[in-house]
């Protein structure tokens, strides 16, 4: 095996506020596996949580771990038994590898698999290393060839767009509906884009900052409202709570029309969250959780190919992997950034 397949640079989180560019080994692809030369990676809010807090919810960092799960690149080397993935082929990587045998998997709920291994996650020990590295070896089932019109840079947005599409699917038909997206970070903005493509009647977006609202406008929001000085309390057929702020939940409930649907997309901090259940009962609201995604990944890649304005509107900054400190600082600054990417080709 060549040197380039034995070791590679990787962005490793060792502890809270301890992020390093390390040299790590790369496994030779075995049967049913593929080695991918990573080209692009998007910084997610979970990556930022590992950096700032040493964990995401109940997933607490206990060992050093490679971050990153929004990944695209090129096939470097297919392993034995792999077909349809030739060296040099542009691909995106589905970050989840469900077990296929737990009760959820057997019911077709692979995104809720209790044993799933998700790139860049500390949910299990040993942790599942992510994709912020020059080379990585993954199961061939996680590697998706790109649609003809999709460039490899935009393809790394397949993961967050899949999250948005799964959230939208939790509501059923959105055509003609009046919808509120509460929180205009990258996931909220991508929900706006998905709703616009799906034919929603009017899409309102709220946030505490003007910059993310400008991104939501690019993504197709009909109206944007800054709620820093006053709450927004108009009622809507469907509400997506995408901020992940527990304090925002009562407002989301108040904004959901009687008999309407409220979808929780934003991840709350670990622990108990106070919910005004009386209002959910009296207003007969349908409160639905939305967690990750599964088959939406292929659909997301197709949408990114058909609608290049999604990536053009969402991506605000690009950095080389060696500039990781600046990249994370920029991503944490909601006054000036939305989706920040690593260009790992250099």
């Amino acid at each position: 095996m060549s040197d380039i397949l034995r070791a590679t640079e990787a962005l490793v989180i060792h502890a809270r506020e301890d992020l390093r560019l390390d040299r790590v080994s790369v496994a030779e692809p075995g049967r049913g596996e593929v080695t991918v030369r990573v080209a692009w990676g998007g910084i997610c809010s979970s990556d930022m949580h590992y950096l700032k807090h040493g964990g995401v919810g109940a997933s607490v960092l206990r060992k050093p771990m490679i971050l990153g799960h929004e990944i695209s690149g090129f096939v470097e080397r297919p392993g034995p038994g792999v077909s349809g993935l030739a060296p040099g082929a542009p691909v995106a990587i589905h970050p989840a590898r469900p077990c296929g045998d737990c009760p959820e998997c057997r019911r077709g709920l692979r995104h809720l698999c209790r044993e799933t291994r998700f790139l860049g996650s500390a949910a299990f020990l040993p942790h599942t290393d992510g994709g912020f590295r020059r080379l990585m070896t993954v199961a061939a089932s996680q590697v998706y060839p790109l649609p003809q019109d999709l460039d490899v840079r935009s393809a790394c947005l397949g993961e967050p767009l899949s999250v948005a599409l799964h959230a939208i699917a939790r509501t059923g038909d959105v055509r003609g509906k009046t919808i509120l997206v509460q929180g205009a970070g990258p996931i909220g903005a991508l929900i706006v884009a998905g709703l616009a493509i799906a034919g929603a009647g009017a899409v309102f977006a709220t946030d505490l900052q003007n910059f993310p609202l400008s991104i939501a406008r690019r993504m197709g929001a009909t109206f944007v409202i800054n709620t820093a000085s006053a709450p927004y309390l108009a009622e809507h057929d469907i509400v997506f709570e995408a901020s992940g702020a527990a304090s925002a939940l009562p407002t989301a409930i108040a904004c959901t029309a009687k008999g309407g649907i409220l979808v929780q997309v934003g991840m709350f901090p670990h622990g108990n969250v106070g919910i005004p259940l009386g209002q959910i009962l009296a207003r007969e609201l349908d409160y639905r959780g939305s967690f990750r995604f599964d088959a939406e990944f292929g659909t997301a890649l197709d949408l990114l190919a058909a609608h290049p304005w999604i990536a053009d509107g969402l991506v605000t900054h690009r950095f080389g992997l060696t500039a990781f400190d600046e990249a994370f600082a920029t991503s944490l600054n909601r006054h000036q950034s939305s989706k920040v990417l690593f260009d790992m080709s250099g």
Side-chain angles (χ1 to χ4, degrees):
M1 188 167 57
S2 65
D3 287 344
I4 203 165
L5 287 177
R6 283 203 298 266
T8 191
E9 281 187 312
L11 195 57
V12 179
I13 182 79
H14 287 255
R16 183 176 65 87
E17 300 285 7
D18 185 2
L19 192 58
R20 311 176 199 175
L21 195 60
D22 290 343
R23 205 72 182 159
V24 301
S25 61
V26 180
E28 183 176 7
R31 177 163 292 277
E33 294 182 329
V34 178
T35 298
V36 174
R37 179 173 294 280
V38 180
W40 293 92
I43 297 177
C44 175
S45 61
S46 65
D47 299 315
M48 293 185 275
H49 272 279
Y50 279 117
L51 176 63
K52 300 302 293 183
H53 308 293
V56 179
S59 299
V60 178
L61 193 71
R62 288 164 281 177
K63 298 283 187 179
M65 178 183 74
I66 302 171
L67 290 177
H69 56 265
E70 301 176 6
I71 303 300
S72 60
F74 300 92
V75 173
E76 178 76 11
R77 182 178 176 185
V82 174
S83 60
L85 292 171
V91 295
I93 299 177
H94 192 307
R97 184 165 52 86
C99 73
D101 193 46
C102 69
E104 289 73 30
C105 285
R106 291 197 296 269
R107 290 163 55 204
L109 301 174
R110 288 161 38 96
H111 63 294
L112 299 180
C113 170
R114 62 186 67 186
E115 300 293 338
T116 197
R117 296 303 189 266
F118 199 87
L119 294 180
S121 170
F124 294 93
L125 197 64
H127 300 331
T128 306
D129 283 326
F132 288 161
R133 41 182 156 170
R134 312 283 186 190
L135 287 169
M136 64 186 302
T137 297
V138 295
S141 61
Q142 294 176 257
V143 181
Y144 282 59
L146 300 190
Q148 183 174 355
D149 296 329
L150 181 58
D151 66 273
V152 72
R153 177 188 70 91
S154 300
C156 74
L157 299 181
E159 194 276 346
L161 181 56
S162 296
V163 173
L165 295 179
H166 182 72
I168 294 170
R170 294 285 289 138
T171 70
D173 190 358
V174 300
R175 289 176 295 178
K177 301 291 180 63
T178 300
I179 300 175
L180 170 64
V181 179
Q182 188 172 274
I187 295 298
L190 287 171
I191 291 173
V192 169
L195 291 170
I197 292 169
V203 180
F204 294 70
T206 60
D207 201 279
L208 300 174
Q209 306 288 343
N210 285 327
F211 186 82
L213 290 172
S214 72
I215 301 296
R217 177 73 81 177
R218 287 189 212 172
M219 295 291 103
T222 315
F223 302 98
V224 297
I225 304 102
N226 187 314
T227 55
S229 57
Y232 174 77
L233 296 173
E235 294 186 357
H236 298 270
D237 301 320
I238 300 170
V239 174
F240 292 89
E241 203 307 293
S243 74
S247 60
L249 184 53
T251 300
I253 291 171
C255 287
T256 308
K258 288 186 175 183
I261 298 171
L262 170 56
V263 181
Q264 186 63 50
V265 189
M267 296 290 290
F268 290 135
H270 185 53
N272 295 328
V273 173
I275 300 176
L277 289 175
Q279 287 299 308
I280 293 177
L281 173 67
R283 299 168 69 84
E284 204 168 89
L285 304 186
D286 194 339
Y287 184 35
R288 304 178 181 180
S290 182
F291 185 69
R292 291 181 180 165
F293 57 91
D294 183 29
E296 293 89 352
F297 194 73
T299 303
L301 297 177
D302 289 338
L303 285 179
L304 288 167
H307 303 280
W309 54 267
I310 297 175
D312 292 341
L314 190 73
V315 175
T316 56
H317 296 80
R318 306 166 185 82
F319 294 91
L321 192 60
T322 57
F324 61 88
D325 281 334
E326 186 180 0
F328 270 82
T330 301
S331 192
L332 286 162
N333 187 344
R334 299 188 72 243
H335 294 283
Q336 67 174 43
S337 74
S338 184
K339 179 56 67 175
V340 175
L341 303 184
F342 282 119
D343 178 355
M344 288 182 275
S345 59

